[in-house]
Amino acid sequence: MEQLYQQVILDHSRQRSGEGELQAPDGESFQVNPTCGDECTVQVTLAEGAIDSLAWTGKGCSISQASLSLMYEMVHGQPVAEAEQLGETFRELIHNRGQELDEEKMDLLDDLGAFTGVGRYSARVKCALLGWMALRGALAQAQPTQA
Amino acid sequence: MTDLLNLAGDFPLLDRTVRGGKPLVYLDTGATSQKPAAVLEAERAFNSRHNAAVHRGAHQIAEEATEAYEGARAGVAQFVGADFGEIIWTKNATEGLNLVAYSFLNATLGRGGAEAERFRLNAGDEIVVTELEHHANLVPWQELAAKTGAVLRWIPVTPDGRLDLEQLDVISERTRVVAFTHASNVTGAITDTAPIVARAQEVGAYTVLDACQSAAHLPVNFAELGVDFAAFSGHKMLAPTGVGVLYGRRELLEAMPPVLTGGSMVEIVTMESTTFMPPPQRFEAGTQMVAQTVGMHAAVDYLTGIGMDKLAAHEDQLAGELLAGIAEVPGVRVLGPSSTQDRLAVVAFDVPGVHPHDVGQVLDDQGIAVRVGHHCAQPVHRAFGVHASTRASAGVYTSSSDIQAFIAGLHQVVKFFG
Ligand SMILES: Cc1ncc(COP(=O)(O)O)c(C=O)c1O
């Protein structure tokens, strides 16, 4: 159990970063997990190719909430391209059946590496990725307005 | 105290271990039941000895297959207090409930001739459902209402998870259909059907009973209940997946237009038009799930051998043990009646501050299988002010030690996330 629920995950599911709503988001995406009805909304504003602000709201399990909280900490203020790359790497990790990725990727993932064990439980994959799906949607919506 | 049944040994799957050698504690029977060896063997024997196309061909094996298929129908009919011709095989309860809704839609479109006019829905007619329904007995009626212009209304749920029988005046002269559950797969509440059926009959509305949870756990007699239609699934009552039943009063089935059309359900087919067979064949288009019906026959025989009264008493005691055990876990709230009165051993609950997924995960780590999520019943969860819940549900093979393991596991959950 402790392998799945790493301390980082438990901490972030209790003390969540980035929860809230933006006044005028450039992009926003709502995602639901149809098996449990968990949901989240991620909003972003962009400035000069970077995520200027990010906020999220949602209901869900500790895995999904911690994933959103850590996502907030790691991508707000970052260039969009880097955030997208981090998202891709995280997806790769979660789909890796509980195995770590190569060292370079694990370095990139940093604290997100705590989610490695989630990949062993196929029913929880969607929990870990829900927020990141919303981020991808929000960024896609925000970018045309930047062009 | 009743003597508990001791039948786990009849169920091969319950022998296995999970998550690195932990004995399985299976408390997800509300979702799907495990199958006794007798059912597995009946299916195997059919496939290895008697498999052929039913109602076709004059060879011996085809006759044997037909007898097995129709014999299963007779067995299931007797099990639920129906006549042979009132049992339609479906894939599951969901299909059975949809079958009624789609047949009414076809009648509304003018199919089925003058006889089927009685099922026509007009704009302004009303369909009454309940807040307690599984999506399978809600969404098909929403769809039928949207297609016909009928208005959907519902009986609300009480704070302890029962249908609010004080609110039966939502059933009015405009009501054409009343669709309601016999027992909730979330709150475990068993419906007092009599006042609902009486009220529906008073206004001339058809009654449609979701008997998925009841047929599997209680003695059920549809003729005595006086409902017009009822649906249930084999897989929840020790039978294989892929087979379910729609019960309909014969007089109604005879007047209803078919839904799926094609082979096996027709009399005369010309290039222009077709006449249809009488029920039940009218509603069984195409090659059917014959081996599964044979498995279902074995399942109802197995249940009859135990006695549904004994099974209900067994589960009543387990429900009491579940409720008493959960009541001792700090903070946990049961979504449903807190006593075993008119209640199944299906107990959904909320652990404040701990998401059901996380509850289920910690239990799973100890080999305890429960259901987490909204259990295909979002509205009743909303009524309780939660999004999702964890549910433990017992069956014929469940023992007191299963319940004890679960309660110990639940204490672990609270400790782990506390
Ligand atoms: C009360 C109730 N109704 C309907 C259903 C639907 O059954 P099935 O999925 O077998 O069609 C279920 C099972 O989940 C149920 O518990």
Side-chain angles (χ1 to χ4, degrees):
Chain A
M1 254 324 78
E2 285 70 19
Q3 254 184 338
L4 175 63
Y5 293 108
Q6 303 262 330
Q7 201 54 45
V8 180
I9 295 180
L10 291 176
D11 290 348
H12 271 273
S13 73
R14 292 183 186 122
Q15 295 282 330
R16 299 183 284 270
S17 303
E19 247 180 316
E21 283 179 70
L22 300 180
Q23 287 294 327
D26 296 326
E28 160 173 331
S29 169
F30 171 73
Q31 298 287 333
V32 294
N33 183 349
T35 56
C36 54
D38 286 356
E39 54 188 52
C40 73
T41 300
V42 169
Q43 298 176 317
V44 294
T45 61
L46 304 186
E48 293 162 14
I51 298 174
D52 193 44
S53 54
L54 185 156
W56 63 271
T57 54
K59 301 181 251 208
C61 62
S62 59
I63 305 286
S64 74
Q65 301 295 287
S67 172
L68 275 153
S69 173
L70 256 169
M71 176 180 88
Y72 168 82
E73 291 192 357
M74 293 186 66
V75 307
H76 88 275
Q78 296 298 309
V80 170
E82 284 182 25
E84 283 175 339
Q85 164 149 33
L86 185 66
E88 277 315 309
T89 311
F90 186 62
R91 260 183 284 280
E92 199 185 323
L93 174 74
I94 298 300
H95 284 123
N96 209 36
R97 301 178 176 279
Q99 304 300 313
E100 293 197 342
L101 302 175
D102 64 37
E103 207 179 315
E104 195 184 328
K105 286 178 175 163
M106 292 313 290
D107 282 349
L108 180 71
L109 287 167
D110 199 3
D111 271 358
L112 287 172
F115 287 84
T116 305
V118 176
R120 216 174 309 124
Y121 300 90
S122 58
R124 307 305 295 274
V125 162
K126 187 86 192 258
C127 311
L129 295 180
L130 196 67
W132 294 86
M133 282 169 58
L135 175 66
R136 187 152 69 175
L139 289 174
Q141 199 185 62
Q143 268 152 320
T145 66
Q146 288 286 300
Chain B
M1 280 266 289
T2 37
D3 278 344
L4 285 176
L5 302 167
N6 182 11
L7 296 168
D10 292 350
F11 293 78
L13 184 138
L14 296 178
D15 225 13
R16 64 163 287 182
T17 57
V18 292
R19 299 285 181 223
K22 304 206 179 68
L24 171 65
V25 175
Y26 188 76
L27 289 173
D28 199 15
T29 297
T32 200
S33 65
Q34 298 305 340
K35 330 295 177 201
V39 166
L40 304 176
E41 176 53 30
E43 257 196 297
R44 204 196 61 81
F46 175 82
N47 278 321
S48 51
R49 299 290 299 164
H50 311 291
N51 177 51
V54 304
H55 291 306
R56 295 171 204 187
H59 57 80
Q60 181 185 336
I61 307 181
E63 276 177 14
E64 288 172 9
T66 304
E67 275 163 29
Y69 179 66
E70 296 302 340
R73 193 193 307 278
V76 171
Q78 193 179 18
F79 184 73
V80 292
D83 281 344
F84 178 78
E86 296 178 319
I87 296 295
I88 297 164
W89 294 120
T90 63
K91 152 173 104 195
N92 51 31
T94 302
E95 187 179 271
L97 295 163
N98 273 277
L99 196 160
V100 180
Y102 272 92
S103 180
F104 284 15
L105 175 65
N106 288 345
T108 304
L109 295 171
R111 301 301 297 159
E115 285 198 317
E117 275 298 309
R118 59 196 290 192
F119 306 115
R120 175 187 290 276
L121 286 160
N122 295 304
D125 284 347
E126 294 182 355
I127 299 171
V128 171
V129 294
T130 90
E131 214 178 359
L132 200 50
E133 296 315 301
H134 186 284
H135 299 159
N137 202 26
L138 168 57
V139 184
W141 305 113
Q142 286 177 344
E143 287 292 305
L144 182 62
K147 289 170 197 159
T148 59
V151 177
L152 191 79
R153 308 195 56 183
W154 52 90
I155 300 170
V157 73
T158 63
D160 67 346
R162 294 187 185 278
L163 292 184
D164 189 348
L165 299 180
E166 307 279 290
Q167 310 273 336
L168 289 190
D169 52 5
V170 296
I171 303 172
S172 75
E173 298 296 333
R174 292 180 298 280
T175 307
R176 303 295 314 287
V177 178
V178 181
F180 63 105
T181 192
H182 197 185
S184 165
N185 67 315
V186 176
T187 70
I190 298 169
T191 303
D192 179 8
T193 57
I196 301 176
V197 172
R199 178 71 187 136
Q201 284 175 349
E202 202 173 284
V203 301
Y206 297 114
T207 47
V208 183
L209 189 71
D210 178 352
C212 245
Q213 294 294 335
S214 57
H217 302 283
L218 304 170
V220 166
N221 184 308
F222 294 136
E224 279 172 16
L225 292 174
V227 292
D228 293 316
F229 301 96
F232 55 101
S233 286
H235 70 92
K236 291 188 194 285
M237 47 193 291
L238 318 185
T241 51
V243 61
V245 166
L246 173 67
Y247 160 83
R249 283 203 299 114
R250 182 193 294 272
E251 173 225 350
L252 299 176
L253 295 179
E254 278 172 358
M256 280 162 60
V259 175
L260 294 184
T261 54
S264 303
M265 49 77 72
V266 296
E267 287 168 345
I268 311 288
V269 180
T270 66
M271 287 315 292
E272 291 78 24
S273 66
T274 295
T275 59
F276 303 115
M277 290 177 76
Q281 275 75 29
R282 185 188 301 164
F283 301 99
E284 295 177 356
T287 303
Q288 296 294 299
M289 60 309 265
V290 184
Q292 288 93 325
T293 67
V294 171
M296 184 137 179
H297 194 184
V300 299
D301 280 352
Y302 181 89
L303 288 168
T304 305
I306 296 161
M308 291 305 280
D309 286 320
K310 285 219 180 86
L311 171 58
H314 168 83
E315 294 188 0
D316 194 56
Q317 179 157 338
L318 294 177
E321 292 176 13
L322 270 171
L323 290 168
I326 292 173
E328 301 212 331
V329 186
V332 174
R333 171 168 71 123
V334 169
L335 311 182
S338 54
S339 90
T340 60
Q341 177 77 33
D342 296 323
R343 189 194 209 297
L344 296 177
V346 168
V347 183
F349 57 89
D350 180 46
V351 184
V354 187
H355 191 277
H357 254 170
D358 296 320
V359 176
Q361 193 83 54
V362 174
L363 292 172
D364 171 67
D365 191 54
Q366 301 164 61
I368 303 161
V370 295
R371 176 84 184 258
V372 299
H374 51 57
H375 324 314
C376 301
Q378 292 180 25
V380 68
H381 278 90
R382 212 163 283 126
F384 277 111
V386 295
H387 215 58
S389 64
T390 310
R391 181 186 73 188
S393 55
V396 61
Y397 36 69
T398 308
S399 66
S400 287
S401 64
D402 291 332
I403 308 291
Q404 281 158 19
F406 160 73
I407 298 296
L410 195 53
H411 282 283
Q412 276 293 115
V413 168
V414 172
K415 214 159 93 197
F416 189 83
F417 291 104

